[in-house]
Amino acid sequence: GSLDWRNMNGINYVGPMLNQGNCGSCVAFAAVAAVETQLSIASGLPWLRPTFSTQNLFACGGGGCDSGWQPESAARFIREDGLVDEACSPYTSGSSGEDVSCSTVCSDAKDRTFFANGYHRPSNGWGSNAENVKKALKNGPLMTTMTVFADFTAYTGGIYKHVSGDQLGGHAVTIVGYNDAERYWLVRNSWGDAWGEKGYVRMSYDDRSGIASSTWGFNITPASAYASIVSPSESEYISDLSKIEA
């Protein structure tokens, strides 16, 4: 009856909270958060913590700080053009509020690009299909869209359900869990950890924002070139590589 990818049998698969800042790049942040977590889940390596470039996805996919972007376009771009890592194209639009060129990328970007195998639509906007969304969430997080009302921006905790305030516009976020007993979706926002419940919001199943009515999930096949050191553990490190036998 409940699920939370921040605590799956005591393991957190979700990366640190981010802040889109002064740019309408929420779609890129929602998509990247879903892909990063899905990769950690698929790899079975919660410590992997991949960090993909929201800046490159947004700039090269056709997003604009003033105009925003569409989730379907982001999902298609990740499948067809891929994501580079954050270090290859750091996020700067949040502080400047300005768009950057798609060419603002590291010289070896082609060799540092990760592709999703594809994406799927547990719900397609033609009406809420909560059971399909919950079933999909058991495999990983989902990008979704919602309408933002004024009282959402003032949210500080508890289960959110729109009560008052004007409609401010559209927004994209990432669903990372749900709770049937208390009837809410667990949602990761991209407004930093000072907002809401350390960047998260519990949104009522009955909220009128349209949360979860349109969702996108990513099909991820992890790379095989990961090495996990199980011994020595914790703060003990190997310093002389000549002692390691192939």
Side-chain angles (χ1 to χ4, degrees):
S2 65
L3 180 149
D4 182 349
W5 281 108
R6 302 173 305 172
N7 183 6
M8 289 294 285
N9 299 317
I11 299 174
N12 178 19
Y13 288 90
V14 184
M17 183 58 59
L18 301 176
N19 193 337
Q20 69 186 76
N22 189 32
C23 178
S25 52
C26 56
V27 168
F29 278 82
V32 164
V35 172
E36 289 177 344
T37 306
Q38 189 67 63
L39 179 55
S40 292
I41 295 168
S43 302
L45 304 173
W47 47 261
L48 183 60
R49 292 287 186 269
T51 54
F52 294 117
S53 173
T54 53
Q55 186 70 76
N56 186 253
L57 171 62
F58 195 59
C60 295
C65 283
D66 293 332
S67 58
W69 201 25
Q70 295 299 319
E72 182 71 18
S73 298
R76 190 181 306 116
F77 188 93
I78 293 170
R79 180 190 65 192
E80 298 176 0
D81 297 272
L83 295 168
V84 298
D85 58 277
E86 171 67 15
C88 183
S89 181
Y91 184 65
T92 60
S93 290
S95 57
S96 68
E98 298 178 355
D99 297 321
V100 302
S101 170
C102 176
S103 61
T104 307
V105 68
C106 60
S107 59
D108 58 344
K110 184 177 180 180
D111 297 326
R112 297 164 62 164
T113 302
F114 174 84
F115 295 86
N117 290 350
Y119 63 92
H120 53 281
R121 297 289 311 275
S123 53
N124 59 17
W126 294 102
S128 178
N129 195 331
E131 293 309 311
N132 278 357
V133 174
K134 292 173 189 176
K135 182 179 179 180
L137 281 169
K138 292 177 181 179
N139 294 317
L142 302 171
M143 172 170 57
T144 188
T145 54
M146 60 173 287
T147 298
V148 171
F149 293 92
D151 56 357
F152 182 80
T153 66
Y155 171 80
T156 58
I159 299 176
Y160 171 81
K161 183 178 178 181
H162 170 59
V163 175
S164 63
D166 294 335
Q167 178 178 321
L168 303 182
H171 191 38
V173 290
T174 312
I175 306 177
V176 299
Y178 64 89
N179 186 303
D180 284 337
E182 298 185 59
R183 295 182 54 77
Y184 67 77
W185 302 107
L186 178 61
V187 175
R188 174 190 167 108
N189 203 353
S190 53
W191 294 350
D193 58 12
W195 178 88
E197 297 179 333
K198 297 183 178 180
Y200 289 85
V201 52
R202 289 175 287 162
M203 297 193 67
S204 170
Y205 287 167
D206 303 314
D207 183 56
R208 56 182 286 194
S209 66
I211 190 77
S213 62
S214 291
T215 54
W216 292 259
F218 294 92
N219 307 325
I220 302 293
T221 299
S224 58
Y226 296 121
S228 179
I229 298 176
V230 296
S231 180
S233 61
E234 300 300 332
S235 59
E236 300 173 349
Y237 297 95
I238 297 171
S239 58
D240 187 352
L241 297 181
S242 66
K243 295 180 180 179
I244 300 178
E245 295 182 0

